[in-house]
Amino acid sequence: MNNQQHKATGWLKKLLLTILGIMMLLVLSLFMVGSFFQKEVKQAFISSINKQLNVKVETGEINFSLFNDFPNAALVFRNVLAHPSKPFSQQDTLLFASKIILSFNAFELFGKNYQINRLELKNGVLNMKVNDKGESNFVFLKPSSDTTASSLSINLEKVLLQDVKYAYVNRLKNERYEFYIEKNESNTTYTPGRISIRSKVDFVAQQLKWNATGYIDSVIANAEFDLLIENENHFSINNSVIKVKETEILLSGDIYNQPSHTELNVTAQSNNADILTLLRLLPAGSKEWTNDYKTKGYLTWNATVKGKIDKLNTPAIDVQFSCKEGTLLTKFSDAALSNISFAGKYTNHRAGKSNNHYIRFENLKCSFNEKVIKASGELNHFDDPALNLIAEGGIDLAQLKDLLKADTVELLNGDARVQLKFSGTISNPLTYVASGTIAVSNGNVKLKNSSLPVTKIQLQGNVNDNAFTLEALTFVQGNSDYKLSGKVSNFASAFLKGNEPIQVEALLKMKLLDMDELITSENQSTTNNSVVKFPDWLHAELTVSIDNTRFRKFEAKRIIGTVILKENALMLQEVQLQAMRGSIMLEGSLSILEDSIRIICDAGLSNIDINQMMYQFDNFGQQSLTDKNLKGKLNATVQFTSMWLPTLVVNPQSIVAISDVTIVNGELNNFEPMQKLKKYVKQVDLQNIKFANLENQIEIRNRNIVFPVMRIENSAMNFTASGTHNFDNDIDYSIKLALNDLTRREKNLKTEFGTIEEDGLGHTQIFLRMKGPASNPNVKYDTKAVEQHITQSAKQEKQNLKVMLNKEFGLFKKDSSINKITPTEKKRKQEFQVDTDPF
């Protein structure tokens, strides 16, 4: 290194040391000056602020700094709380900020007069209010006559805001504005009578509301404003830009702030707005569903906002818009509406009436998976909307499912074609005028919680005002096939209003109804503790004709009748069917209650094969008397009510039934309790008993099958019996045997079994009581008194039960005896209650 290089290096070191020394001296000087003036500045600011402020202010720590914004000096206030000005409650909050910084020129420290030129506010809340009398809560400063000479003045050149919640409510003018200001930087220039503000702000417009109409709902935006304030009440907006996502809105106009009202004359326009952004700016604000969609292509629109804002007036808003080659896509699938084009307009003062909202679309056209949809329409009065619509086009149902994000639908496909004209006030179905056609071909649908899809859907129908004429609807669900035709009333109002049930009157024809599949599929869609429910949006009356049906072991053919579905109940009227080698006519209902199902049935059975009946109904849940024991033909009338679990498991305690039974050519084979009589009538074959006719009335209640006294003439021997047989397979029978052909012809014969008597006709009889488990009952002597008691008790209980079933469930309508009850019988009837609680 030569001598010149050494000299240059040495000079550079000296220069750096000199600069460093000066900086250290400057810092030390600032620190000393700050320490010297800190107490004086604090006292001057606090004293001056207290003289000028009209509101009560509380503050935490106060610090003075020359380093915060040099060459400005700054006073830093922490946790500042300002209460409203009177007459507003002092418990409210006008302003809160975790930090407020007031800055002024540091050289003013030596002149003792401080002019605030910069305000910075962080983490704050500002609530500005005007009451019905026009009084405001934000009168910060006292009137000039109340102030004395002050060393503090305000001439703000810059305002910085960060994380500030701002709300302005004016009850006199019926205005409300709410914003969250993430960051704002404003530069201000003062001239006599005028203030010019240039501001950049990132914010969330949470609400903008005039009268009862909201125009903004949580819109994230940033903006650059050029604002001129003249005479404190005229705000002029020039060359201002608001950016919402990718949409830029140019804003200009004038705002006049009068004591009794605000007057607007503002224009806005955009050449690159997306469709969803426009929807967010319309009345009622954005909808949650808009977050699931995105758009391509742009709207061109321009708007004017002109008029007064007060309790009686809302400014007139007029918007013209158009779109070409737009696309609406979902964020969760590839479904899209493409080639969207339309033109239209919006106003909130149609026919010169305030808040009379009106929007019109003209020449709407779009492509939906290569299917074209065309429409035009208008919507008037947003509070009580009136709709006029003309639409036609094809719809790919699979694409529609994806576009609408139908979460409850696992599968939907097929082709639909719609041609529709509609006009009317949505809330008043009497005003509906509609016509058109709806067709679906090759449709398939499957709900997420169902294992059984609905396939091969073919539909053809016509819209007529508030009704839909169903010319033909066919579909298949598993092994079951459906063919319907009829009328769907309340169709348009249910579709448009969404809270009214559809009324269906139709003819249903089926070749096969497979109840096993349907119930299994439905149960899989519910939890173990849930109740299967009928859709509350559907009221239907179906005339049914079903060739075949099956449920577990039960099979039936040629079913005809009426089925009514309404208010969570399924009702059967005059239903006829062939089953179990005989015929059945029945009426009844299945009602869905809060946590159970109630079934009521009034049936007539003719020529039913008893063996098949016991087999197909799984011996009614018991194993003591089964299809292996009984044969014959059954004729009966049955009144039946019971409670079931949602899984269609019956609660045995709830079963109540009365049945008038006639059995023709019956057989009782291998019935274990009969074998217990062999030791008394050893010469009689009780293994296979045949009888020509048997008539009785059988009751079921409290888990007991009750049969009154009946005479059974059979191939073994004739006897009379009565008693009970409960669901736990315990029996309590009273039996009177005719033994004249088996015992000695002596009167009052004493035996080990009791007294053997004659009935006066030469017939010898013995009275027995059979009680205990049906598989091994205990048999002993019984008296006539027991028999008579059972006979009378059963007769009375039978009558009481019939009255109760008639009153509670409408059964025994044609039985005149229930209207001839004595006062004593009425009292007894009140003692008999049916427990319909399944648990």
Side-chain angles (χ1 to χ4, degrees):
M1 183 180 294
N2 55 36
N3 189 39
Q4 288 183 340
Q5 290 175 326
H6 279 290
K7 289 181 179 181
T9 302
W11 178 83
L12 181 60
K13 289 180 179 179
K14 291 179 181 180
L15 178 62
L16 291 174
L17 290 173
T18 300
I19 294 173
L20 182 60
I22 293 172
M23 291 179 63
M24 293 179 63
L25 181 62
L26 178 62
V27 170
L28 182 60
S29 299
L30 291 174
F31 179 77
M32 293 178 64
V33 170
S35 299
F36 181 79
F37 285 102
Q38 179 173 350
K39 184 176 181 180
E40 182 179 335
V41 171
K42 286 183 181 179
Q43 290 177 346
F45 268 65
I46 293 172
S47 175
S48 183
I49 288 173
N50 286 333
K51 290 178 181 179
Q52 297 187 48
L53 285 182
N54 191 42
V55 297
K56 180 182 177 183
V57 177
E58 301 173 20
T59 184
E61 183 181 354
I62 304 175
N63 295 313
F64 174 73
S65 174
L66 287 171
F67 298 96
N68 192 74
D69 188 25
F70 189 80
N72 285 330
L75 205 62
V76 181
F77 298 81
R78 297 186 182 278
N79 299 323
V80 178
L81 174 63
H83 297 278
S85 57
K86 294 180 179 180
F88 290 83
S89 170
Q90 296 302 296
Q91 302 300 318
D92 292 342
T93 298
L94 171 62
L95 170 69
F96 175 81
S98 64
K99 181 189 286 188
I100 295 179
I101 303 174
L102 302 178
S103 300
F104 59 95
N105 193 306
F107 295 103
E108 295 175 354
L109 290 169
F110 303 98
K112 310 297 183 180
N113 290 311
Y114 313 111
Q115 186 178 74
I116 299 173
N117 57 32
R118 178 186 171 106
L119 168 67
E120 188 172 350
L121 190 151
K122 295 183 178 180
N123 300 320
V125 175
L126 177 59
N127 296 313
M128 300 174 66
K129 298 179 180 180
V130 178
N131 63 20
D132 293 334
K133 300 178 181 179
E135 298 168 325
S136 60
N137 73 337
F138 50 89
V139 183
F140 284 93
L141 301 178
K142 294 178 180 179
S144 57
S145 59
D146 292 340
T147 62
T148 59
S150 174
S151 60
L152 180 66
S153 61
I154 299 174
N155 186 20
L156 292 176
E157 296 176 357
K158 181 170 286 190
V159 176
L160 300 175
L161 303 177
Q162 182 176 335
D163 297 325
V164 176
K165 294 180 180 180
Y166 171 74
Y168 175 80
V169 178
N170 190 320
R171 297 191 181 278
L172 180 64
K173 302 177 184 178
N174 221 356
E175 299 173 283
R176 186 180 188 91
Y177 310 104
E178 293 183 13
F179 296 91
Y180 175 73
I181 301 172
E182 294 181 351
K183 185 179 180 181
N184 172 75
E185 181 176 341
S186 298
N187 295 296
T188 306
T189 304
Y190 296 88
T191 57
R194 304 177 71 179
I195 302 174
S196 179
I197 301 174
R198 187 67 184 174
S199 180
K200 292 182 178 180
V201 58
D202 298 330
F203 65 97
V204 179
Q206 296 174 325
Q207 190 176 94
L208 187 156
K209 195 171 186 178
W210 299 330
N211 288 325
T213 304
Y215 285 87
I216 285 179
D217 186 5
S218 298
V219 175
I220 301 173
N222 56 70
E224 293 186 13
F225 288 106
D226 189 350
L227 183 64
L228 179 64
I229 304 176
E230 298 181 277
N231 301 321
E232 297 183 355
N233 63 0
H234 177 204
F235 300 82
S236 181
I237 304 170
N238 301 296
N239 302 319
S240 298
V241 179
I242 300 176
K243 190 173 183 180
V244 182
K245 292 188 176 181
E246 301 300 322
T247 298
E248 288 188 350
I249 303 172
L250 304 179
L251 194 66
S252 62
D254 297 285
I255 303 173
Y256 297 90
N257 189 20
Q258 303 296 335
S260 62
H261 68 275
T262 301
E263 189 163 349
L264 303 179
N265 187 3
V266 178
T267 62
Q269 64 178 19
S270 178
N271 296 320
N272 67 339
D274 67 81
I275 301 171
L276 298 182
T277 299
L278 178 65
L279 291 176
R280 288 174 179 270
L281 300 178
L282 289 177
S286 63
K287 305 296 181 183
E288 292 184 3
W289 60 266
T290 61
N291 297 323
D292 295 324
Y293 297 87
K294 56 185 178 179
T295 58
K296 293 181 180 179
Y298 296 101
L299 286 169
T300 298
W301 62 273
N302 60 77
T304 61
V305 183
K306 189 174 183 179
K308 293 181 179 181
I309 305 175
D310 58 26
K311 281 192 172 183
L312 300 177
N313 297 285
T314 299
I317 302 174
D318 293 284
V319 184
Q320 302 283 338
F321 53 87
S322 63
C323 176
K324 292 182 179 180
E325 298 182 358
T327 303
L328 177 67
L329 307 96
T330 68
K331 294 180 180 179
F332 43 81
S333 72
D334 296 329
L337 286 175
S338 58
N339 299 319
I340 302 172
S341 64
F342 58 84
K345 63 180 181 180
Y346 162 78
T347 182
N348 70 335
H349 70 128
R350 191 183 189 194
K353 296 181 180 179
S354 180
N355 292 320
N356 186 10
H357 302 281
Y358 170 82
I359 188 169
R360 177 171 178 80
F361 285 87
E362 297 176 342
N363 301 319
L364 172 64
K365 185 177 180 180
C366 61
S367 298
F368 195 12
N369 195 22
E370 300 182 354
K371 299 180 184 295
V372 177
I373 300 174
K374 297 179 181 180
S376 293
E378 59 184 18
L379 190 65
N380 198 8
H381 305 297
F382 286 7
D383 293 334
D384 188 15
L387 175 66
N388 287 281
L389 177 67
I390 300 175
E392 64 174 325
I395 301 173
D396 184 316
L397 295 179
Q399 289 287 310
L400 181 65
K401 167 188 171 294
D402 292 338
L403 190 67
L404 297 181
K405 194 182 178 182
D407 293 334
T408 59
V409 180
E410 181 178 311
L411 169 70
L412 177 65
N413 57 42
D415 296 317
R417 182 77 187 176
V418 177
Q419 187 175 18
L420 181 65
K421 290 183 179 181
F422 176 87
S423 66
T425 301
I426 293 175
S427 64
N428 185 4
L430 296 177
T431 65
Y432 293 175
V433 177
S435 62
T437 60
I438 300 175
V440 175
S441 60
N442 303 317
N444 300 280
V445 62
K446 181 179 181 297
L447 301 180
K448 279 192 173 180
N449 294 325
S450 176
S451 63
L452 208 57
V454 177
T455 62
K456 300 180 181 180
I457 302 171
Q458 302 287 133
L459 181 147
Q460 184 68 44
N462 300 313
V463 177
N464 301 287
D465 298 336
N466 196 20
F468 180 66
T469 301
L470 187 63
E471 293 185 354
L473 170 61
T474 62
F475 59 90
V476 174
Q477 190 172 19
N479 294 320
S480 303
D481 62 298
Y482 301 80
K483 183 178 181 180
L484 291 102
S485 60
K487 183 179 181 180
V488 181
S489 303
N490 216 35
F491 172 77
S493 56
F495 179 78
L496 292 171
K497 298 175 68 176
N499 60 351
E500 294 191 1
I502 293 176
Q503 309 279 350
V504 179
E505 295 181 29
L507 171 65
L508 170 63
K509 293 184 176 182
M510 301 182 68
K511 293 180 179 179
L512 174 64
L513 175 60
D514 191 335
M515 293 295 295
D516 286 323
E517 279 188 333
L518 297 178
I519 291 174
T520 300
S521 173
E522 183 65 25
N523 284 343
Q524 289 183 359
S525 68
T526 63
T527 63
N528 290 334
N529 296 322
S530 64
V531 177
V532 177
K533 290 184 176 294
F534 299 121
D536 54 9
W537 51 265
L538 178 61
H539 291 177
E541 181 172 339
L542 303 178
T543 301
V544 299
S545 176
I546 304 173
D547 293 342
N548 297 279
T549 189
R550 59 190 179 212
F551 174 57
R552 298 175 181 168
K553 295 179 181 179
F554 177 75
E555 295 183 357
K557 296 180 179 181
R558 291 187 283 281
I559 304 172
I560 59 172
T562 301
V563 178
I564 298 174
L565 177 62
K566 187 177 182 180
E567 297 177 352
N568 230 14
L570 181 69
M571 291 165 279
L572 305 180
Q573 293 184 352
E574 298 182 355
V575 174
Q576 302 178 41
L577 59 121
Q578 295 184 1
M580 299 168 290
R581 300 174 184 171
S583 61
I584 301 173
M585 178 175 287
L586 60 88
E587 292 189 350
S589 65
L590 186 153
S591 303
I592 305 296
L593 306 179
E594 184 176 351
D595 55 1
S596 59
I597 299 172
R598 181 173 65 196
I599 295 178
I600 300 173
C601 179
D602 192 344
L605 287 71
S606 177
N607 212 31
I608 298 297
D609 187 305
I610 296 176
N611 178 264
Q612 285 294 305
M613 180 184 71
M614 298 296 290
Y615 170 77
Q616 292 188 21
F617 285 97
D618 283 327
N619 299 307
F620 299 97
Q622 50 82 42
Q623 295 300 318
S624 59
L625 185 63
T626 71
D627 58 293
K628 300 184 183 302
N629 304 121
L630 285 173
K631 290 183 180 180
K633 293 292 183 178
L634 172 68
N635 296 291
T637 60
V638 180
Q639 286 75 40
F640 174 90
T641 178
S642 61
M643 305 296 291
W644 299 63
L645 296 175
T647 52
L648 292 183
V649 176
V650 68
N651 172 28
Q653 184 68 34
S654 70
I655 296 176
V656 178
I658 293 180
S659 179
D660 290 310
V661 177
T662 299
I663 299 176
V664 180
N665 297 326
E667 293 185 21
L668 180 63
N669 300 315
N670 303 313
F671 186 47
E672 290 187 12
M674 294 300 296
Q675 308 310 309
K676 283 288 182 176
L677 298 177
K678 280 188 175 181
K679 60 188 293 186
Y680 309 116
V681 286
K682 296 181 180 180
Q683 300 180 22
V684 178
D685 180 10
L686 299 177
Q687 193 76 14
N688 302 101
I689 301 174
K690 297 180 180 181
F691 46 90
N693 290 289
L694 175 64
E695 296 184 8
N696 204 356
Q697 186 173 76
I698 297 175
E699 304 171 21
I700 301 177
R701 50 187 166 85
N702 300 325
R703 301 183 74 252
N704 281 292
I705 302 171
V706 181
F707 57 95
V709 175
M710 60 180 174
R711 180 169 177 77
I712 303 173
E713 298 181 354
N714 56 81
S715 58
M717 63 177 179
N718 299 330
F719 62 91
T720 301
S722 63
T724 63
H725 191 143
N726 68 26
F727 288 7
D728 295 323
N729 207 19
D730 294 326
I731 64 174
D732 186 358
Y733 296 164
S734 292
I735 302 172
K736 181 173 67 175
L737 300 175
L739 302 179
N740 56 305
D741 294 329
L742 302 173
T743 60
R744 292 177 298 165
R745 295 182 178 273
E746 289 187 27
K747 294 182 180 180
N748 301 320
L749 178 65
K750 298 290 185 178
T751 73
E752 59 179 310
F753 311 118
T755 302
I756 297 176
E757 299 179 348
E758 290 192 8
D759 60 4
L761 300 176
H763 299 152
T764 307
Q765 303 177 96
I766 186 171
F767 297 91
L768 301 176
R769 183 81 174 269
M770 182 182 294
K771 189 173 182 180
S775 58
N776 187 26
N778 180 34
V779 181
K780 62 181 181 180
Y781 166 74
D782 195 7
T783 66
K784 278 189 176 183
V786 174
E787 177 195 9
Q788 292 171 352
H789 172 74
I790 294 176
T791 301
Q792 183 61 32
S793 176
K795 180 179 179 181
Q796 183 60 59
E797 290 296 338
K798 175 181 68 178
Q799 187 66 23
N800 291 344
L801 189 61
K802 290 172 69 175
V803 172
M804 184 278 301
L805 291 175
N806 174 266
K807 181 178 179 181
E808 296 293 332
F809 307 111
L811 302 178
F812 294 102
K813 298 177 182 178
K814 300 179 181 180
D815 192 333
S816 60
S817 67
I818 64 173
N819 297 318
K820 300 177 182 179
I821 304 175
T822 66
T824 302
E825 290 172 333
K826 288 183 179 180
K827 181 178 179 181
R828 292 178 179 176
K829 176 179 76 69
Q830 293 172 356
E831 298 173 354
F832 181 83
Q833 301 292 331
V834 177
D835 183 8
T836 58
D837 187 349
F839 303 106

